[in-house]
Structures are given as structure tokens and as C-alpha cells.
Amino acid sequence: MSAIDEFEEAREDLEALLIEVLGAVSGEEAMPVWDETLPPGPVVSARLAIHDEDDDSFTMVGVRTSSIVARVLASRMLLTADPGPEDLIDAMGELGNIAGGNVKSLLRHSCRLSLPTAEVTENPGPEHEFSGVTVRASLLGQVVELSVDVAEDVAGLYWPGSPAGALEIRP
Amino acid sequence: MRILVADDSRAMRMIVVRTLRQAGFTGHEIIEAENGQTALEIAAEKGVDLILSDWDMPEMTGIEFLRALRASGKRTPFCFVTSEGSEQMRELADASGALGLITKPFTADAFSETLSSVVTP
């Protein structure tokens, strides 16, 4: 079974995972959606990779939503009425981290998880060619996406632990 | 009690502190650290009574932090609060001397169940 087939087979679990994580972080009920897309405008996204050292493959996990939802999440996570750009990055990064950790537990047990990286994109262009699985949920009336894909390029991601990695110990 | 919360996300540190209170563990001094290295230094210099630590952090991971802490002779109760909760990680945490592993997203009940033996309300 290819990795993409495996992600597809886990689609319902990924949907449930996204709903649970969003509900826990926001305190709001999230609902699965299938045909809706992100609204026009700024997007806040987080991504991180899962590295399988056995075959040196990478699975990329991404979370994206509108800046409106990201602001609400940051506001609730950080208990601030007016979250700044760094707060949005921190909150979405942590949302990505929680989602990524749970995806790893679901699909890739004996692997290494990168640290999340998050960014605000003011005018997101067309999506890159994507062969993986994306599940969507509605939160506060807007879409939040969770994507899982195989990855060739993990540039820009950081890995946990000491800089040299010498002390890195993973199950 | 003096409780050290180590996580590279400020948002998550705040959520952990809030959840401690929601679990009824109030009135304790909270110290925050954004990676394992800083947390280890705080634990060595100030002394703490409980450590709640993320697993994946820059500079020094949670498991590196725990092992360095134990190697220094400190037996401070140590609980992971992390997004990964595989059985292998739980076994490694246990073998390294952790009190437990709470998986994100978590509830106040999870904090109560795991920490009630070492934290007084």
C-alpha cells in the first residue's frame, strides 16, 4: 500500500482528529465539511514533517485557516483580546504541533516529528501540486484544513533537541 | 509548590497553567521555560517540586531534559505534556523515570488523574 493510499484509508480518522483538536483548543464545536474551501484573504498556516528514519521518507502535515479563525484561536489560547502577528504564529504553530503529533500517533509510530513552523500569507497563490489527503472542518463558520502528504522537500523545518542532534533519542 | 512548565509555545504554556487551575491545583508558584535546556537550568538553580514538560522542543528535548535531570540526581516528579502519545513513547517516558505522559489535547480530568498523587489542590 502506498503512503497516499494509507492516508486515504485513514481519512475518517483524520477528520475525527481535526474535529477533536479544534474543539479542545477553541472550546467551540467543529463540524466536518467536504466541499467548502478557505475564504479569500490572508491565510495562516502551520506545517511540520514526520521523518521515518527506516526509509528516510517524510510525511508533511499542514494546518491552514483564515486569519479570522486564527485570531480567535490565538485569542482563546493566549487569553488576549488583541493577538498580534507573533501570537497568531505561536497559536497556529501549536495547533499544527498537536495535529502533527496525533497524526504521527495515528500513522507513523516510530518516527521523528519536526518542530512546527507557521506563517501568515497575505495573498495566497494557487495551491502547489498536491497528491495527499486534505480533510476539512468548519469552525466559527469558516474552514480549517488538515493536510497529510508525502514530502520531498523539508527545507525550513527545524528538528527538536540539541543542535547537533547528538542527544536525540526517539522511540 | 513550585511547578515548572516547559514548552516552546507560549500559548501551550498558558493552556497548561490554566488547566492546572481547572483541575483544582491552585495557589502554586508557576515558572515557565521555553526549552529543555532552560528548564534544566531553572530546575538546577531554583529547585522545583513538579515539572510538566513538552517532549519536542528546540535546544533540548523533554526526554533529554528528563535524563539530564535524573543524571544530576534530582528525583523531581516529571510529567510529559505532549502531542504524541504512542505506547512506545509512554514506555520510554516510564523507563526514564517520568510520572506519566498527558497527551494534547487534554482535559482537566487528565491532569487530575495523572498529577493528584504529587500535587495538592
Side-chain angles (χ1 to χ4, degrees):
Chain A
M1 179 187 293
S2 72
I4 300 300
D5 289 341
E6 187 185 5
F7 302 154
E8 193 62 52
E9 195 167 82
R11 178 179 286 276
E12 287 186 12
D13 290 331
L14 292 170
E15 286 173 348
L17 185 162
L18 179 62
I19 297 293
E20 181 189 359
V21 169
L22 290 175
V25 169
S26 69
E28 301 282 343
E29 186 177 13
M31 300 291 289
V33 292
W34 294 275
D35 298 328
E36 297 178 31
T37 57
L38 292 172
V43 165
V44 187
S45 59
R47 67 187 183 111
L48 68 169
I50 304 169
H51 181 210
D52 188 335
E53 289 167 325
D54 287 342
D55 60 7
D56 200 28
S57 66
F58 292 92
T59 299
M60 190 68 77
V61 179
V63 180
R64 300 198 314 158
T65 191
S66 69
S67 61
I68 296 168
V69 171
R71 283 182 63 83
V72 173
L73 289 172
S75 175
R76 296 192 179 176
M77 293 169 80
L78 289 154
L79 292 184
T80 176
D82 188 21
E86 289 303 313
D87 296 331
L88 266 62
I89 296 294
D90 185 33
M92 278 301 288
E94 186 54 30
L95 181 66
N97 180 48
I98 297 172
N102 281 270
V103 169
K104 174 178 175 285
S105 296
L106 181 67
L107 296 174
R108 297 279 184 270
H109 300 290
S110 300
C111 299
R112 186 181 189 215
L113 189 68
S114 81
L115 298 172
T117 182
E119 63 179 356
V120 180
T121 308
E122 294 296 333
N123 297 296
E127 285 192 49
H128 68 285
E129 191 175 328
F130 182 78
S131 57
V133 168
T134 297
V135 296
R136 297 177 176 84
S138 173
L139 180 72
L140 303 165
Q142 295 207 20
V143 170
V144 182
E145 293 181 347
L146 168 66
S147 300
V148 182
D149 196 4
V150 293
E152 303 292 333
D153 180 11
V154 293
L157 292 176
Y158 296 92
W159 299 88
S162 54
L167 296 176
E168 181 66 17
I169 300 165
R170 300 307 308 249
Chain B
M1 289 181 75
R2 182 178 283 172
I3 301 174
L4 174 59
V5 177
D7 197 300
D8 53 326
S9 165
R10 187 168 72 92
M12 184 47 63
R13 294 197 301 271
M14 291 186 70
I15 291 172
V16 168
V17 173
R18 280 207 301 276
T19 307
L20 273 171
R21 296 197 184 105
Q22 290 165 359
F25 304 131
T26 57
H28 301 294
E29 179 185 355
I30 306 293
I31 304 173
E32 297 184 24
E34 62 184 20
N35 62 59
Q37 182 63 50
T38 302
L40 181 64
E41 291 165 6
I42 290 171
E45 292 169 10
K46 297 187 176 180
V48 295
D49 303 301
L50 171 66
I51 296 165
L52 302 176
S53 176
D54 191 12
W55 191 296
D56 290 325
M57 294 182 286
E59 305 297 331
M60 176 181 276
T61 65
I63 194 71
E64 291 169 351
F65 170 29
L66 172 58
R67 291 191 164 181
L69 187 78
R70 293 290 182 259
S72 72
K74 292 193 180 300
R75 313 310 302 168
T76 312
F78 189 112
C79 182
F80 285 103
V81 182
T82 177
S83 61
E84 306 174 58
S86 70
E87 194 56 39
Q88 290 166 305
M89 290 182 71
R90 290 180 187 280
E91 289 172 3
L92 182 57
D94 184 55
S96 302
L99 171 70
L101 187 152
I102 296 170
T103 307
K104 304 171 187 174
F106 45 71
T107 63
D109 287 343
F111 272 51
S112 297
E113 290 167 12
T114 308
L115 303 176
S116 57
S117 63
V118 293
V119 189
T120 50

